[in-house]
Amino acid sequence: MPSETDPHECTWMAWPGGGYTLGDTAHEADVARAMWASVANTIAEYEPLRMLVPPREREKARRLLADDIDVHEVQLDDAWYRDIGPTFVHGRAASGGSGASGGFSPLGAVNWVFNGWGQQDWATWDHDALASGVATDVSGATRIDSPMVNEGGGIHTDGRGTFLVTETVQLDQLRNSGWTKQQVEDELNRTLGARSVIWLPRGLTRDSERFGTKGHVDLLATFDATGRVLVHHQTNAEHPDHAVSQQLFAVLSAATDADGNPMDLVALPAPTVLRDHHGFVDYSYVNHYVANGVVVACAFGDPGDDVSREVLAAAYPGRNVVQLDARPLFERGGGIHCITQQQPAAPAVSPR
């Protein structure tokens, strides 16, 4: 699996079409559509974007999306394509999966099992469980099927074989009952080329509550353009994620990458706001998306927005940092990274 910072062929997204994502009122639905369109249109200024859209939403989506965005009509339960889409890889197709030849393939697409973030009682996934096939087929990638329940928001890689995961996601008994760390690591090696898997103990507090993912790593830490790790840093001891941040830094400080090098950590301070009307927030600047020439970053109307912009500009030199108010996304359980999925460009040179 290449780094998100490597060149992209395009970005994939899914349009909100129902359920809690659209909310209970016409106004809430309009806010959601405008948020998804804002992210999509920003990315489309820098690279091609392809959007899955439920048929009933086609007219509304087409009205809000830039003309050069490709629309693919498909039934969906929800709109978090990072989690329901495939994970694209380069190189040799993994053996043992449906459609995987074992020979060289310029592009592969790992199709995970999706079960509503661990069979959440508020989630439906009849359509979402099949949604990864759209990007797989349209891209022409070799399909690599995995028996593991996993979501794209639950993994991050430096593109050189080092992966970040959380114990509360891949080892969740309502995702992968009975699986061990070794089994998870073996499957990540088979499908994604993982050579070193760093296990973080848990996710952010709200993301671990009823309407969360149970601990996705893309709110906790990510790799920048040089392989350094940007880490969510909650400095306020009044917030329960202060303790989570301390755990993160402790684990990552003791870890090494796939080549045996110590991890180079960069603190990405959390916003100063601690609560919204639901309780402690899980606002995180880590949840940004890196595309060709741009970093699409979360803003929260907070003094921390300016600080995060400086950190991200230093972490991704040569890219514009575009901040979008992500509060409507976090209100629905995710962020900018959660609704995007990169399709990497073909490798410049094929492996021998």
Side-chain angles (χ1 to χ4, degrees), residues 63-79:
R63 187 170 62 248
L64 292 172
L65 294 172
D67 292 340
D68 58 351
I69 291 177
D70 290 337
V71 168
H72 303 266
E73 285 193 36
V74 61
Q75 295 290 352
L76 295 167
D77 297 290
D78 222 317

Side-chain angles (χ1 to χ4, degrees), residues 7 99 117 122 179 189 199 212 256 283 308 339:
W117 302 279
W122 45 264
W179 282 52
N189 172 267
W199 290 89
T256 56
Y283 294 168
S308 72
I339 65 173

Side-chain angles (χ1 to χ4, degrees), residues 21-269:
T21 306
L22 282 185
D24 298 323
T25 68
H27 173 71
E28 290 175 348
D30 287 342
V31 169
R33 296 183 185 108
M35 182 75 247
W36 260 257
S38 177
V39 173
N41 292 338
T42 299
I43 295 170
E45 294 180 19
Y46 295 86
E47 65 181 61
L49 191 131
R50 293 171 174 166
M51 180 75 75
L52 276 62
V53 178
R56 64 183 177 276
E57 284 285 324
R58 180 182 176 88
E59 183 179 343
K60 295 182 179 68
R62 194 70 276 176
R63 187 170 62 248
L64 292 172
L65 294 172
D67 292 340
D68 58 351
I69 291 177
D70 290 337
V71 168
H72 303 266
E73 285 193 36
V74 61
Q75 295 290 352
L76 295 167
D77 297 290
D78 222 317
W80 309 95
Y81 207 62
R82 172 69 53 178
D83 294 344
I84 65 176
T87 299
F88 288 101
V89 295
H90 282 159
R92 296 191 177 278
S95 61
S98 173
S101 65
F104 175 74
S105 173
L107 185 69
V110 180
N111 283 243
W112 312 106
V113 177
F114 179 75
N115 73 350
W117 302 279
Q119 304 176 51
Q120 302 272 30
D121 62 4
W122 45 264
T124 59
W125 56 90
D126 287 349
H127 300 300
D128 285 356
L130 304 175
S132 62
V134 178
T136 300
D137 293 343
V138 172
S139 68
T142 298
R143 182 180 178 112
I144 303 167
D145 284 327
S146 174
M148 187 166 73
V149 178
N150 192 35
E151 302 96 36
I155 53 175
H156 258 314
T157 184
D158 62 357
R160 295 186 290 276
T162 311
F163 281 78
L164 304 176
V165 299
T166 54
E167 296 181 12
T168 54
V169 172
Q170 284 80 10
L171 298 181
D172 174 16
Q173 289 303 293
L174 293 175
R175 283 178 167 100
N176 298 302
S177 179
W179 282 52
T180 65
K181 285 185 177 180
Q182 189 61 57
Q183 286 175 297
V184 171
E185 291 178 16
D186 288 347
E187 183 64 3
L188 292 175
N189 172 267
R190 183 185 77 86
T191 54
L192 306 181
R195 296 188 292 133
S196 175
V197 179
I198 300 170
W199 290 89
L200 303 177
R202 55 159 296 175
L204 297 185
T205 299
R206 178 179 286 186
D207 192 41
S208 304
E209 295 172 351
R210 183 179 176 220
F211 292 102
T213 69
K214 305 183 184 179
H216 271 184
V217 75
D218 65 357
L219 289 168
L220 300 174
T222 189
F223 295 96
D224 74 3
T226 65
R228 294 177 301 179
V229 184
L230 306 181
V231 187
H232 180 73
H233 190 207
Q234 176 54 259
T235 61
N236 194 320
E238 296 180 20
H239 197 299
D241 286 339
H242 177 68
V244 177
S245 287
Q246 290 180 316
Q247 282 185 308
L248 291 176
F249 278 95
V251 171
L252 290 168
S253 295
T256 56
D257 66 16
D259 296 317
N261 302 310
M263 310 297 287
D264 187 1
L265 308 184
V266 178
L268 190 50

